[in-house]
Amino acid sequence: MIAFTAHILPDSDLFDGDKMIPLSDPQFRDVIVRSMRDWVEKCRPNILIQHDEDGGTFGRVTDVYQSHDGIYVDGVVTDAEVAQRMAEGGYRFVSPTIAWNFAADDYDPSADNRWPAALLEVSLVSVPRHYTRQRDLQSYDTSMSQLSEAHASTETYCLGNKTQIAASLSAALSKFNK
């Protein structure tokens, strides 16, 4: 078993496919972190390899939080072979699958209980998608305990009204995608 901390999103805007994700907006980022953290607490997303949904699960995501330079996840790899490969540098990066404005299987249109952001899984990968912003997992070996202690003792999150959060998210996205 191996625990890790991984940087999944920057603190600056990110062009992702066909849209700009306004991560430099502190209010938007707070909404996203609260939503992902609540999702992680509810679902404990899987850790996969190279986004292979049929290849088994190798651990769980245990937390989501923000720091001065972006959004991070903590995870635990429970598969001994994968943990060994990580320790040897075989998987240097992670790649998150984030669903924006997500309607989960318990979605109720009358309640509009969409998740502003849901972290569906985190994959261990050898090639990052965002080359210039992706951080190598090995760089967290020495700082993992300080990061975990720092966020655990000073930051708390609670999800507010999902309808209000979704409205805030929609407003922020429309402002930044004009």
Side-chain angles (χ1 to χ4, degrees):
M1 181 164 49
I2 188 171
F4 67 89
T5 296
H7 183 261
I8 61 167
L9 290 169
D11 64 344
S12 57
D13 294 347
L14 178 66
F15 184 74
D16 188 34
D18 61 344
K19 62 184 172 275
M20 184 66 71
I21 309 297
L23 295 168
S24 64
D25 179 334
Q27 290 177 312
F28 177 86
R29 198 171 50 247
D30 287 347
V31 167
I32 296 307
V33 169
R34 279 187 249 140
S35 178
M36 285 195 298
R37 185 149 199 227
D38 197 47
W39 179 264
V40 165
E41 287 175 7
K42 178 178 181 167
C43 301
R44 294 291 182 219
N46 292 330
I47 295 172
L48 304 178
I49 306 261
Q50 307 288 353
H51 298 287
D52 184 0
E53 296 174 10
D54 295 328
T57 182
F58 301 96
R60 298 277 186 207
V61 176
T62 59
D63 199 8
V64 175
Y65 55 95
Q66 60 182 316
S67 187
H68 69 283
D69 60 349
I71 300 172
Y72 289 80
V73 295
D74 285 340
V76 176
V77 171
T78 55
D79 182 278
E81 289 179 31
V82 174
Q84 181 63 37
R85 186 152 183 218
M86 282 180 73
E88 294 169 354
Y91 297 111
R92 295 177 40 215
F93 307 99
V94 298
S95 177
T97 297
I98 300 167
W100 303 100
N101 198 26
F102 183 62
D105 57 354
D106 62 351
Y107 176 66
D108 177 1
S110 65
D112 193 23
N113 59 341
R114 290 180 181 269
W115 297 83
L119 181 63
L120 301 181
E121 57 93 6
V122 171
S123 280
L124 301 171
V125 296
S126 53
V127 178
R129 178 172 177 196
H130 300 286
Y131 287 94
T132 61
R133 298 182 186 202
Q134 190 74 40
R135 308 266 171 72
D136 192 315
L137 278 173
Q138 293 176 341
S139 66
Y140 298 107
D141 287 346
T142 58
S143 61
M144 182 169 48
S145 60
Q146 289 114 347
L147 280 173
S148 295
E149 288 169 16
H151 95 271
S153 62
T154 62
E155 297 180 24
T156 58
Y157 300 88
C158 58
L159 187 62
N161 179 299
K162 288 183 187 173
T163 303
Q164 292 172 340
I165 291 171
S168 298
L169 174 64
S170 294
L173 279 173
S174 65
K175 181 173 110 179
F176 285 95
N177 285 325
K178 288 186 177 183

